[in-house]
Structure formats: C-alpha cells, structure tokens
Amino acid sequence: MFRITPHIFLCGLLFSYAFPAFAHCGSFGSDAVPGTNSSWINLTTEHASFEFGDVRGNWFTMTPSAEYAPLTWLSFAGRLPMAQLRFHDKEEHKSGIGDLEVATRFQLVQSSDENFGLVTGVSLEAPTGSTDDGLGGGHYALTPFVES
C-alpha cells in the first residue's frame, strides 16, 4: 500500500530546542494499518546536536511506541519518549520522560488491490514532560491528520 509517512518529529527536535514546545507529529506512520487487524511495538532512538548562541549540547531520545488495530477499520496508537539533554559547556544534563502522544486512526478508503488507502484520525499530545528541564511542551495539543 502506498502511504506517505511524515518524519516531522525528528526535524522538529533539531529546530525546537530553544523554544518551550516540541514539534507535533500529527500522524503515527505505522505497520498496524486499519483493515489488517494487526499490532506492533517499536523502539526508536534519535540524536541531535544543537547550538543556540553560547548554549551547545546533544539531545537523545528513546521512544517506545505501540499500535493496535482491533477492527478492520480502526487502530489506536501511543508513544512516550524518554529524553536526555547534555550540555557541552556545563557539567549539567537533564533526563526524563517527554510528552505523551496517543492517536486514533480510521480507514476511510482501501482499494481492492491494496495499492491505495486513505486514513484519517486525531492525535492528542499531553504535557507529561518537564518544561523546566526542556523535556516537554507544557500544553495539550489535539491534531487531526489524513494519510494516504
């Protein structure tokens, strides 16, 4: 099946450290596609170096995520990043959980040969990460999405 899967989360991390909020990844690009009654569990690691003025360091994340499709047209997903910030010029580092994200996906269209599908859904980000430590955005975000 042809599907566009955005990787906005990693790009957002590279550009958002100086800001109190992190990028929202409005869709869960996954292998648990509604229509297949499947599920998956995944562990993703990411790393980025940053330099903002005189503040330099590294950002590391390890994000467990899971998706479950109990029906042929419906799936549920969630992820909770564990992050660590290390500053180059200081003996300081911060670590902890980031913001929780959960999503629901609905299969709207699926071609008979499975070469095309249309999925819509909504993602909710909850402020579970520490804003003081730079690990969370400190707000709720409800983001609708469409994937093909």
Side-chain angles (χ1 to χ4, degrees):
M1 178 171 86
F2 176 77
R3 181 173 38 185
I4 298 171
T5 306
H7 294 283
I8 298 169
F9 183 73
L10 177 59
C11 294
L13 287 176
L14 294 174
F15 298 107
S16 68
Y17 175 73
F19 306 102
F22 293 97
H24 301 284
C25 190
S27 87
F28 280 78
S30 73
D31 294 324
V33 178
T36 61
N37 285 355
S38 63
S39 61
W40 61 265
I41 297 174
N42 190 27
L43 182 64
T44 305
T45 59
E46 298 169 320
H47 170 264
S49 295
F50 60 87
E51 183 173 346
F52 296 102
D54 61 346
V55 179
R56 298 180 322 126
N58 294 312
W59 166 266
F60 304 93
T61 63
M62 183 170 58
T63 306
S65 56
E67 185 163 1
Y68 174 62
L71 302 172
T72 58
W73 52 270
L74 174 69
S75 72
F76 303 98
R79 62 176 148 225
L80 183 62
M82 292 171 270
Q84 183 177 66
L85 286 169
R86 290 188 179 209
F87 300 97
H88 290 200
D89 300 334
K90 304 175 186 176
E91 293 285 328
E92 179 183 9
H93 71 275
K94 307 287 185 176
S95 61
I97 62 171
D99 289 345
L100 172 70
E101 189 174 354
V102 294
T104 301
R105 297 166 28 123
F106 302 94
Q107 180 80 43
L108 295 178
V109 176
Q110 179 69 49
S111 65
S112 60
D113 60 2
E114 296 186 4
N115 286 331
F116 177 78
L118 187 61
V119 175
T120 188
V122 64
S123 172
L124 172 67
E125 179 183 318
T128 55
S130 169
T131 56
D132 293 337
D133 292 339
L135 303 174
H139 63 273
Y140 287 91
L142 189 64
T143 309
F145 60 87
V146 176
E147 299 174 345
S148 67

